[in-house]
Amino acid sequence: MSFDADVIVVGGGLAGLSAGITANREGVSTLVLERGEYSGAKNVSGGRIYVHALRNLVNIDDAPLEKPIVRETYEISCGSRKLNFSFYDPETRNSYSVLRAKFDPWLAKKAEEEGVLISYETLVYNAERDVNGITLKTNRGDLRAKLVIEADGVTAGISRYLGIRSLSPDSLMLGVKEVVKPDNVPEEGEAKVLVGYLNGLLGGGFMYVNQDSLSIGATVKVNSLQEEKILARDVVEDLRAKLKVEGEVLEYSAHLIPYYGFNKLPPLSAPNVLVTGDAAGLLINDGFVIRGMDLAIGSGMVAGKASKVILNQGDPSKTEVYEKMLAESFVLRDMRTASRAFQLMNNERLFKTYPELLCNVLARMFTVEGERKTLMNVMVEETKSRGLTLTQMIRDLMKVV
Amino acid sequence: MDLIKRLSLNKYRVDKESHIRVNLDICRTCSEKPCIKVCPAGTYERSGDVIEVHYERCLECGAALVACPFSAITFKFPEGGVSFRFG
C-alpha cells in the first residue's frame, strides 16, 4: 500500500503548523490537514501568547499580534467588596494579546512559503492503524501515512478513534468569550484575572486588551456547569455586566480547555502517533501564568524533529523517542514544575473559600471597632469559622511557592 | 445581548445534516438534562421529556462530547460549521 505522505499532521493550528514547519525543514514529506476554511477559523483562545517558543520557530517582526501585555491585574470580588492589585512592567515583550483567526493564517502563510502543504476544509472523521501506518478517513477520501502527528485540539479525535483516549468532564474547562469594542480601548496591553465573578461556578474570568477591542470571558469546569443552575450561554454576558464593560460585541465564541496537569497527562504517543498541543493536554496554570499556545508550538516543534528520527530508525510504530525528547524540552519540564501549583488551581477552595476569606480578613484589618486583634488572630478565626486550619491554608499556599 | 444575536455575529456554513445525534431512549430517562446548561450555544432545548438539537447554532467547542453523563449525545465535527473572525 502506498502512502500519501510520510507524516500527516492532523490540525492546522499552532501545534500542527509548528510540527509541519519543523518536519518539512527536516526534509520529511509532510501534509497538514485543517478542517476549517483557513487556519484559525475553528480556533479560540483566551487571548494571550507567550512568544518565546514562537520566536524559535519563525521571525515574528511582522506577526499580527495585538498588544504586548505590560500590566498583570488580579481582581478578587466578594459581593460588594473587591481587592485588586497590578504589576506593571512597561519594558516587557514576553507575551502579547492575540486573536487566533488573525494570527493562525499568518503562521500558515509562513509555513506555505517554506513549502508546507496544507489541505483546508479537510475533516478527519476516523483513523485506523495497520501494520505499516495509519489510514485517516476524511471527507476527501482516505489518506495514509507512516506517522500521524495529532494536533487536532482538546477533543483529541485521533486518540479517541484509535481507542487510546476518552474524555471526562472533570479534566476539561469550558471557555466562553466575547470580543467587544468599547468606546475607548486602553492604550497599553493588560491581562486581568478575575476571581469571584462567576456566581459560584468553579472557574475564573479573564480580560485581555487587544489593538482595538477587548477579549472578555471565563473558563469554567465542565462538571461544575453540569451541577450548578447557571447556563453556560449566560456566563459572559453576566460577567460583562458585572465589569460594566459596554460597547459593540464583535464576536461570541467558546472552546474547551484541557485541564489535566502533569500528573494526569493523557498518552503523549502511541504506535505511529505523536500527540501535541491541546490534544496532549498541555496547559499550565501556576497562579501567575496560564499557558497553552507556547506549549503547543513547543510540542509541535519537538514532534516535527522526532518524526525525522523515528522515520530514520525504520520502524514508525516505535515512537517512544518523541516522549523522551518532549521530556527534555521546556514543555514537559515546565509542566512538571507547575504540577503542585496546578493542583491548587484545580482546588475548589481556591474558587470558593479563599477569595471570601481574604476579603473578610482585610475588611477586619481595615476596620477599627475598639478591640484590635493581630493579623494572625484574625486569620486563625476566619480560617476556623470555615472549617479550615491555618496549616491547611499554608500548605495550599506552599504549592504555589 | 441576546444569544441568537450573539451567534449571528459568526459566519456559519450549515451542513445539510446534523453532526449531532441524540439517543432519545437514553435522553428520556434523564430528568436533569445537564447538556442544556453546559452548551454555550443553546444547541440543546428541552422538548417534552427529550431534547431538540439546533445543530446550526453549534460553536464546535466540544463540550457536547462530555456534556451528557449518560453518553446519549454523539458528536462529530461538521464539514462546514462555524468560522471565527477573531478567535
Side-chain angles (χ1 to χ4, degrees):
Chain A
M1 279 184 71
S2 69
F3 293 100
D4 294 281
D6 285 346
V7 172
I8 294 182
V9 182
V10 180
L14 295 180
L17 291 169
S18 307
I21 289 170
T22 310
N24 184 59
R25 284 178 190 166
E26 296 281 325
V28 174
S29 95
T30 313
L31 171 63
V32 179
L33 311 180
E34 165 55 46
R35 67 186 177 92
E37 284 179 81
Y38 46 88
S39 275
K42 305 286 187 180
N43 291 101
V44 178
S45 75
R48 174 221 294 249
I49 181 169
Y50 291 89
V51 289
H52 67 108
L54 182 65
R55 281 187 208 278
N56 288 334
L57 179 70
V58 288
N59 179 331
I60 68 165
D61 291 346
D62 63 336
L65 296 162
E66 296 296 310
K67 281 187 171 163
I69 300 294
V70 296
R71 186 175 273 108
E72 310 277 358
T73 300
Y74 291 76
E75 288 191 7
I76 298 165
S77 158
C78 1
S80 55
R81 296 164 171 168
K82 201 152 91 173
L83 164 70
N84 63 43
F85 54 96
S86 280
F87 175 69
Y88 178 57
D89 180 2
E91 304 304 315
T92 182
R93 295 294 177 269
N94 190 251
S95 73
Y96 291 77
S97 46
V98 68
L99 294 165
R100 298 287 300 278
K102 275 162 72 180
F103 182 79
D104 291 32
W106 170 84
L107 189 59
K109 189 162 168 283
K110 283 255 193 224
E112 285 166 333
E113 281 167 2
E114 290 190 25
V116 177
L117 204 61
I118 307 174
S119 175
Y120 297 101
E121 294 179 55
T122 306
L123 175 69
V124 177
Y125 58 83
N126 210 344
E128 290 160 8
R129 195 177 157 260
D130 57 49
V131 281
N132 313 314
I134 298 214
T135 301
L136 300 171
K137 303 278 176 191
T138 85
N139 59 338
R140 302 182 177 276
D142 289 2
L143 292 167
R144 271 180 59 73
K146 294 176 186 169
L147 205 54
V148 165
I149 295 179
E150 178 176 14
D152 53 2
V154 58
T155 58
I158 298 296
S159 284
R160 285 188 295 116
Y161 304 144
L162 294 170
I164 57 170
R165 179 83 179 272
S166 62
L167 298 172
S168 127
D170 50 3
S171 312
L172 296 165
M173 289 186 109
L174 175 67
V176 281
K177 175 184 164 184
E178 283 179 6
V179 179
V180 182
K181 196 178 170 64
D183 289 341
N184 294 309
V185 180
E187 192 60 35
E188 290 181 304
E190 179 179 20
K192 277 188 187 174
V193 174
L194 307 158
V195 181
Y197 284 87
L198 302 181
N199 308 317
L201 286 170
L202 299 183
F206 60 81
M207 183 160 99
Y208 297 101
V209 175
N210 304 316
Q211 207 66 263
D212 351 277
S213 64
L214 303 172
S215 293
I216 296 172
T219 59
V220 185
K221 299 224 46 180
V222 173
N223 49 342
S224 155
L225 274 168
Q226 284 170 322
E227 291 152 18
E228 300 279 343
K229 288 277 168 266
I230 298 149
L231 298 171
R233 69 182 77 167
D234 298 330
V235 169
V236 190
E237 282 289 285
D238 180 68
L239 174 70
R240 197 158 63 85
K242 283 190 180 128
L243 295 172
K244 297 185 176 67
V245 173
E246 287 175 12
E248 188 192 351
V249 179
L250 303 175
E251 179 170 89
Y252 172 58
S253 62
H255 212 73
L256 281 185
I257 297 153
Y259 221 68
Y260 292 82
F262 182 74
N263 301 322
K264 288 192 181 157
L265 280 176
L268 302 177
S269 72
N272 310 76
V273 182
L274 314 180
V275 191
T276 64
D278 275 7
L282 302 173
L283 177 127
I284 288 174
N285 179 359
D286 65 6
F288 293 92
V289 296
I290 301 172
R291 307 159 46 184
M293 289 180 256
D294 64 316
L295 304 174
I297 292 167
S299 59
M301 289 169 75
V302 172
K305 279 209 164 62
S307 69
K308 170 80 168 177
V309 177
I310 292 163
L311 291 167
N312 280 355
Q313 285 172 348
D315 183 353
S317 70
K318 300 238 176 304
T319 51
E320 299 81 359
V321 68
Y322 167 61
E323 294 205 32
K324 191 171 157 285
M325 289 166 76
L326 205 58
E328 288 162 3
S329 76
F330 79 86
V331 177
L332 285 189
R333 287 211 309 259
D334 284 6
M335 284 286 298
R336 185 183 297 115
T337 303
S339 60
R340 289 183 72 227
F342 186 88
Q343 284 166 14
L344 176 63
M345 298 302 140
N346 213 352
N347 184 323
E348 215 166 300
R349 282 199 291 271
L350 190 80
F351 302 112
K352 294 208 158 160
T353 317
Y354 289 141
E356 196 232 350
L357 186 146
L358 189 62
C359 284
N360 262 20
V361 169
L362 288 169
R364 284 178 61 180
M365 292 312 294
F366 285 118
T367 305
V368 178
E369 278 179 324
E371 196 206 347
R372 195 78 180 144
K373 290 189 173 162
T374 62
L375 175 60
M376 183 54 95
N377 282 345
V378 168
M379 275 176 26
V380 170
E381 281 174 23
E382 291 295 328
T383 44
K384 220 185 207 153
S385 71
R386 287 170 181 77
L388 276 172
T389 64
L390 206 55
T391 323
Q392 256 175 319
M393 194 166 85
I394 288 163
R395 209 175 286 146
D396 276 343
L397 194 64
M398 287 308 287
K399 286 190 173 127
V400 188
V401 181
Chain B
M1 194 186 207
D2 164 80
L3 173 72
I4 304 297
K5 270 209 191 88
R6 272 185 283 148
L7 293 172
S8 70
L9 298 167
N10 297 321
K11 187 181 149 199
Y12 282 98
R13 274 204 340 231
V14 180
D15 283 6
K16 286 194 184 68
E17 281 190 8
S18 176
H19 57 284
I20 302 163
R21 298 235 176 284
V22 179
N23 180 325
L24 295 177
D25 294 333
I26 300 175
C27 184
R28 217 178 296 279
T29 63
C30 160
S31 59
E32 275 287 299
K33 311 264 188 268
C35 55
I36 296 172
K37 291 187 275 188
V38 171
C39 174
T43 303
Y44 307 98
E45 199 171 34
R46 195 179 280 273
S47 169
D49 54 0
V50 289
I51 48 168
E52 195 181 339
V53 179
H54 302 286
Y55 76 97
E56 71 285 353
R57 297 182 188 176
C58 175
L59 289 166
E60 296 167 44
C61 70
L65 287 161
V66 292
C68 177
F70 314 106
S71 308
I73 296 173
T74 311
F75 178 94
K76 349 184 281 259
F77 285 113
E79 262 195 72
V82 73
S83 280
F84 294 115
R85 293 189 180 91
F86 296 90

